[in-house]
Amino acid sequence: MPDSSTPEPQGATLRQAWIIQRRVIGALMLREILTRYGRHNIGFLWLFAEPMLFTLGVTALWTATKSVHGSNLPIVAFAVTGYSSVLLWRNMPARCIGAIAPNLSLLYHRNVRPIDIYLSRVLLEAAGATMSFVFLVLFFNFIGWLAMPEDALQIAGAWLMLAWFGASAALLLGALSEVSETVEKLWHPASYILFPLSGAAFLVDSLPKAAQDVVLTLPMVHGVEMLREGYFGSQIVAHYDTAYMALINTVLTILGLAQVSKISRTVVPE
C-alpha cells in the first residue's frame, strides 16, 4: 500500500491539475451559455447564430451600397472573410472586460480562479465565431455565391493567429478592467475605430505605400491578409508578416497572464 505521505509524481500532479481545470472551464462555459442565452427559443444555438446574423447584416449592407473594397473580389466573399475575422478578435476583450465582478461568488470554490473565467469566455467567443464563419462559407458555397478556399490550412493558421491576438488582448484588458473602469469606457470606442482600420473592409495592396506602412502596424491586419490569401490565393496580393504578429501576440499574452496573476492575489470573493 503506498505511503500517503509520499509526494505524488510531478507528471501525475500536472495531469490531475489539467483534468480539474478542464472540468472547471467546461462547467463555466455551460454556465455562461445558460446565463447568456437561457433554455428558451434556440438556446445555445445563439452562440453562433448571433455572430452569423451580424455578418449577414454587414454583407447585405455592403452589397446594397455596392461598397468599394479595392479589388475585384465578390462583395459577399469580402464581407464574410473580413467581418468574421473582426468578430473573432473584437468580441473576446468585450466579453472579458468586467467579467470578474458578476462571478465573484464562484471564486469561493477552491478550483475556480479568475483565469478560468476569462478562458471560458474566450473559448466561447472563439467557438461561436468559428462556427459562424464555417457555416456561412458552406451556405454561400451551396447557393453558388462563394467558391471554396484555395488553401484551407493557411486559413486555419490565420484564424488561429487572429484568435490568439483576441485572446491575449482579452486577458490583458479583462484583468486591467478590474483595476480601472476606464478600460471599459475606452475599449468600446477603440474597437469601433479599429474596425475600419483592421483590414476587414479593404485590401492592403489597394492602399498607397504610406498608408500600407501605417495599417500594417496593427497586428490584426496581418491575420486578415493571411486569411484572404489562403482563401483567394493568386486573385490578390497579400501583405503580412506572421513573425511580427506572433511577436505582438506573445507580448500581449505575457502582459495579460502577468496582470491576471496580479489580480488573482487581490480579488476578494463575495
Side-chain angles (χ1 to χ4, degrees), residues 51-256:
M52 188 174 66
L53 290 175
F54 274 114
T55 307
L56 285 173
V58 170
T59 302
L61 182 64
W62 287 6
T63 302
T65 57
K66 302 185 188 312
S67 297
V68 177
H69 50 72
S71 77
N72 295 322
L73 297 176
I75 193 68
V76 170
F78 207 82
V80 170
T81 54
Y83 198 67
S84 295
S85 66
V86 171
L87 291 178
L88 179 63
W89 62 261
R90 192 176 68 177
N91 286 359
M92 291 181 187
R95 292 292 185 184
C96 286
I97 290 174
I100 299 300
N103 291 294
L104 280 176
S105 60
L106 295 177
L107 298 178
Y108 271 115
H109 299 281
R110 185 182 59 180
N111 294 322
V112 179
R113 297 168 299 167
I115 194 168
D116 298 321
I117 295 173
Y118 291 135
L119 289 179
S120 64
R121 294 193 171 202
V122 162
L123 289 172
L124 268 184
E125 294 306 317
T130 303
M131 287 189 288
S132 166
F133 178 59
V134 172
F135 180 86
L136 288 176
V137 167
L138 294 177
F139 172 72
F140 283 123
N141 175 260
F142 178 75
I143 63 176
W145 289 13
L146 186 62
M148 291 302 285
E150 291 194 11
D151 189 342
L153 192 60
Q154 181 172 341
I155 290 177
W159 196 256
L160 286 175
M161 291 295 287
L162 286 165
W164 181 14
F165 170 70
S168 58
L171 288 178
L172 179 59
L173 294 174
L176 286 174
S177 70
E178 299 305 317
V179 180
S180 172
E181 294 180 353
T182 308
V183 175
E184 182 176 7
K185 291 180 170 52
L186 290 179
W187 171 247
H188 290 294
S191 64
Y192 284 103
I193 293 171
L194 286 172
F195 168 48
L197 301 175
S198 68
F202 61 83
L203 286 177
V204 173
D205 195 58
S206 66
L207 302 176
K209 182 64 172 64
Q212 290 181 12
D213 293 340
V214 172
V215 296
L216 284 174
T217 60
L218 298 173
M220 70 286 272
V221 176
H222 297 263
V224 176
E225 287 281 298
M226 184 179 173
L227 187 148
R228 285 202 169 118
E229 184 185 61
Y231 206 103
F232 304 111
S234 57
Q235 297 181 61
I236 67 167
V237 177
H239 300 260
Y240 62 89
D241 185 342
T242 310
Y244 172 77
M245 188 175 183
L247 176 64
I248 298 294
N249 289 353
T250 301
V251 171
L252 287 175
T253 302
I254 293 172
L255 292 175

